[in-house]
Amino acid sequence: MNQPKQLAIYHFSYDGIATWCCGVGAIVKQFIDSMPVVAEYLREHGFETIFYAGTPFYHPECSWYSPEILHETEEICRSLSGDVLYHLNGTEGDDMYVDIEQWKATSVGAANIVINYFQKHELNIVFTTDPPYCGVGSFLFRQLSHFKGNKPIVVWIPHSTALIHEKNTNETRYNWEKQAVFDANTHKECFVAYCNDFMKNHLINEYQASLESLVPLINGLPLVENKTRCNPQEIIEKYGLPSDRDLVFAGGRAAKYKGFEYLIKAFAESQKYHTAELVLLVTSFATSQTEGTYPKIIKLFEELQVRGKVINNYIPLEELKAIFRSPNVKAVVVPSLAEPFGMIPLDVRDACDENGPVLVCSQVDGLQESTVHGEDGFLVDVENTSQFAQTLTRAVNMSSEERKSFLSKGKEQLARKHNFPRNIADCILNIVSQQD
């Protein structure tokens, strides 16, 4: 009987390992939560998995540090004979996403960890997340230019780029990101993973990524059977939400591209045709993307006399899913002006069993791939206030039978396209097959 081949998998991220601040952190956490099942899939193909999670070192008092998430990460790593590995932060441990100088420090730190570990294992696949890690491949392969053995495989996973959310091209960030693509185009051990077709086409057209350097790694969820679930009524009460009225819900960072101002305007127009209230749950960490946006949201909410409330708070994912399950939440809205993927549609479908809220999503970027208009949700031009208002009204007033039909079709798509453990394992097997 053949012995299983040892495969070390590393996942480096600035969020989602010891912290949770943004959507990238949510995706990274889903990746880590998927790893025990990924290891089972890979065992069927003759691999024994060792898993490491790499993170910048954070001061425990920084606002997004989470000992609970760190503990969960450590447990999964150790169950797969690995550990959480710390590298340079580039700050004093109190920030995560600053500028290219910090990203260089982050990339060098991650590359050094791989240098120290890779010869312990037969095969090494290193997943790196977003701009802080664009330099890992370059630093690593420069160091290993004369190494004759099996080199580590490096896979950069961009969840966004300089050209998606920025109105004016940030040449410094763009060139830094192009380095990761150039490395993938140059080295046979280097790849760029795309989370959906939108990102694949974007990387080809805007970053000149070659088809040979690209591999699919479609975002998803672990889709585990036994879920720990919060009670919806308890969470509704915790955040002071009304339990006797219909609700339209939206949440996210108070960044302009999230489109909350367009939602407020559309809801103000639609509220004449239903009795629902709008609940916006927003975070307002001080970054260049969020500067001044939260006060504008509050001011517009008051000026247009919108029914409902704005809550400035961070909410754990399981509590967010409990809100989705609440029977009086009739619609969940994703009004982003730019969204390479967007996890909310997946989270809604995963959280709800029968009669869930209707999804209303902006018809942009990757959101167009996660929702089929009129079948499992609605797509809308959020800048067209009249159309947006009509769609909100329709979503709030849908019958229970229509809601069940939408959710059922959405859950079918979730199981078919977004089984994350299967997608991760397929990505790894695809890459390994190209090295033979």
Side-chain angles (χ1 to χ4, degrees):
M1 184 175 177
N2 292 332
Q3 288 292 317
K5 204 170 189 177
Q6 196 180 68
L7 172 60
I9 299 170
Y10 310 71
H11 197 313
F12 289 95
S13 179
Y14 60 95
D15 192 20
I17 293 174
T19 63
W20 199 343
C21 174
C22 61
V24 170
I27 295 169
V28 169
K29 190 173 188 306
Q30 302 295 1
F31 187 108
I32 293 169
D33 289 347
S34 297
M35 283 310 300
V37 181
V38 172
E40 291 177 14
Y41 287 150
L42 294 177
R43 189 175 298 116
E44 295 171 6
H45 290 82
F47 293 99
E48 176 193 355
T49 300
I50 298 94
F51 179 63
Y52 300 102
T55 177
F57 183 82
Y58 293 106
H59 193 287
E61 293 182 6
C62 76
S63 55
W64 39 79
Y65 178 81
S66 170
E68 295 80 14
I69 289 175
L70 176 58
H71 177 72
E72 291 169 6
T73 304
E74 289 172 335
E75 289 287 305
I76 290 173
C77 289
R78 289 167 186 168
S79 73
L80 295 171
S81 304
D83 207 344
V84 174
L85 308 175
Y86 296 92
H87 60 73
L88 296 174
N89 182 296
T91 73
E92 294 182 359
D94 55 1
D95 215 337
M96 58 168 55
Y97 196 89
V98 182
D99 55 29
I100 193 168
E101 293 307 314
Q102 184 206 18
W103 299 345
K104 286 178 180 177
T106 298
S107 290
V108 169
N112 283 339
I113 285 177
V114 178
I115 286 287
N116 289 333
Y117 275 77
F118 86 100
Q119 292 190 75
K120 300 177 182 180
H121 310 294
E122 292 178 70
L123 284 171
N124 297 265
I125 298 184
V126 182
F127 291 97
T128 65
T129 304
D130 276 16
Y133 296 93
C134 284
V136 172
S138 180
F139 293 133
L140 189 61
F141 293 122
R142 192 182 312 159
Q143 187 74 28
L144 296 176
S145 59
H146 298 294
F147 182 73
K148 302 302 182 185
N150 285 335
K151 295 178 183 178
I153 297 164
V154 178
V155 186
W156 180 51
I157 314 172
H159 296 100
S160 184
T161 72
L163 301 183
I164 292 177
H165 289 147
E166 300 288 341
K167 290 289 184 184
N168 299 313
T169 302
N170 182 328
E171 288 291 340
T172 301
R173 175 175 165 179
Y174 175 67
N175 290 330
W176 173 248
E177 292 168 345
K178 281 204 74 171
Q179 180 63 53
V181 176
F182 174 80
D183 291 335
N185 288 347
T186 304
H187 301 283
K188 69 181 183 65
E189 301 91 354
C190 221
F191 297 88
V192 177
Y194 57 88
C195 61
N196 57 8
D197 287 340
F198 166 77
M199 282 300 293
K200 176 183 179 182
N201 294 328
H202 174 68
L203 290 164
I204 292 171
N205 295 329
E206 306 298 340
Y207 284 80
Q208 294 74 55
S210 69
L211 283 173
E212 294 76 15
S213 70
L214 293 170
V215 289
L217 179 50
I218 307 305
N219 280 345
L221 300 173
L223 303 181
V224 294
E225 292 288 332
N226 301 317
K227 300 171 183 171
T228 303
R229 290 186 162 183
C230 300
N231 181 287
Q233 187 58 38
E234 290 178 1
I235 302 305
I236 287 286
E237 292 173 2
K238 176 178 178 178
Y239 291 96
L241 306 182
S243 57
D244 58 347
R245 298 171 211 150
D246 291 343
L247 300 177
V248 172
F249 180 88
R253 286 182 298 143
K256 188 172 183 180
Y257 79 86
K258 289 294 185 180
F260 294 133
E261 294 176 44
Y262 295 98
L263 171 57
I264 294 168
K265 292 175 183 176
F267 190 90
E269 187 171 313
S270 77
Q271 66 184 356
K272 296 175 278 189
Y273 305 103
H274 56 75
T275 59
E277 296 189 4
L278 175 63
V279 174
L280 292 183
L281 198 150
V282 297
T283 58
S284 56
F285 290 124
T287 70
S288 59
Q289 289 185 337
T290 62
E291 187 176 355
T293 305
Y294 180 70
K296 288 179 182 176
I297 289 173
I298 296 296
K299 182 179 179 182
L300 190 60
F301 212 89
E302 295 172 350
E303 285 179 349
L304 297 180
Q305 298 182 326
V306 172
R307 285 196 307 267
K309 64 191 303 184
V310 180
I311 302 172
N312 182 211
N313 205 338
Y314 164 81
I315 179 169
L317 181 59
E318 288 310 316
E319 293 186 0
L320 184 64
K321 288 186 173 183
I323 292 175
F324 296 158
R325 288 194 299 276
S326 176
N328 60 325
V329 176
K330 300 303 181 185
V332 172
V333 188
V334 187
S336 302
L337 303 179
E339 202 68 67
F341 187 86
M343 291 293 289
I344 291 295
L346 275 59
D347 288 328
V348 168
R349 290 159 183 159
D350 183 53
C352 303
D353 294 321
E354 290 186 359
N355 192 13
V358 178
L359 283 160
V360 179
C361 298
S362 178
Q363 58 184 33
V364 298
D365 304 344
L367 289 173
Q368 298 180 86
E369 297 180 47
S370 61
T371 301
V372 180
H373 181 72
E375 292 190 17
D376 56 15
F378 296 113
L379 294 170
V380 64
D381 176 1
V382 299
E383 296 181 79
N384 184 329
T385 302
S386 177
Q387 181 194 114
F388 197 178
Q390 290 172 17
T391 304
L392 290 173
T393 300
R394 184 180 176 191
V396 169
N397 292 329
M398 283 178 68
S399 68
S400 177
E401 290 73 21
E402 289 176 307
R403 292 176 189 282
K404 287 181 180 179
S405 175
F406 270 43
L407 180 61
S408 176
K409 290 175 181 175
K411 288 179 84 70
E412 288 174 9
Q413 182 184 181
L414 180 67
R416 185 177 66 255
K417 291 178 59 178
H418 303 292
N419 181 328
F420 210 19
R422 175 65 70 184
N423 293 350
I424 295 167
D426 286 346
C427 177
I428 290 168
L429 293 170
N430 177 13
I431 290 169
V432 170
S433 70
Q434 296 186 46
Q435 303 301 304
D436 294 337

